[in-house]
Amino acid sequence: MTTYVVSRHPGAVQWLVQQGVALDHCLPHLHGQELRAGDRVVGTLPLQLACWVCEQGAEYWHLGMDIPAQWRGQELTPAQMDACRARLERFEIQRISVPKVW
């Protein structure tokens, strides 16, 4: 199993290390990586990319936070992330095809 951390934010990477997450590869973007079943992707991905991760048989772990308005758009330290209740949550996302309804 390989763990890919997808983040452009140094504070987020530091926070993950403090949580004991093994960082095999740290990438600013998930683009063109060959994922294998059982691999783990950690980050804050758009829904369609997180779905693609799951379609490859890999795990998607979302780095979620409750960020107050005054901190949005800023680089956060690990301590600030803790104050925002930073957490890792695993999601299994499935694409569902539906007939056109509108």
Side-chain angles (χ1 to χ4, degrees):
M1 172 182 49
T2 301
T3 299
Y4 296 88
V5 172
V6 182
S7 180
R8 294 174 291 137
H9 304 285
V13 174
Q14 291 170 3
W15 184 86
L16 291 165
V17 169
Q18 289 176 0
Q19 306 312 303
V21 175
L23 313 176
D24 295 316
H25 299 281
C26 193
L27 311 166
H29 301 283
L30 189 63
H31 179 74
Q33 276 65 40
E34 186 174 318
L35 299 180
R36 293 189 170 91
D39 284 350
R40 183 176 295 153
V41 176
V42 179
T44 306
L45 300 181
L47 185 59
Q48 69 275 13
L49 189 52
C51 183
W52 176 81
V53 168
C54 294
E55 289 170 345
Q56 306 311 301
E59 298 177 359
Y60 174 59
W61 289 80
H62 185 76
L63 175 55
M65 290 183 279
D66 303 324
I67 303 174
Q70 68 270 20
W71 284 359
R72 291 185 186 143
Q74 299 180 33
E75 290 294 331
L76 301 180
T77 66
Q80 289 171 314
M81 291 177 64
D82 283 333
C84 294
R85 294 185 344 104
R87 61 203 172 271
L88 287 174
E89 301 173 292
R90 183 172 174 201
F91 284 84
E92 293 181 3
I93 303 166
Q94 180 180 5
R95 189 181 319 269
I96 299 172
S97 297
V98 295
K100 187 173 181 178
V101 294
W102 47 73

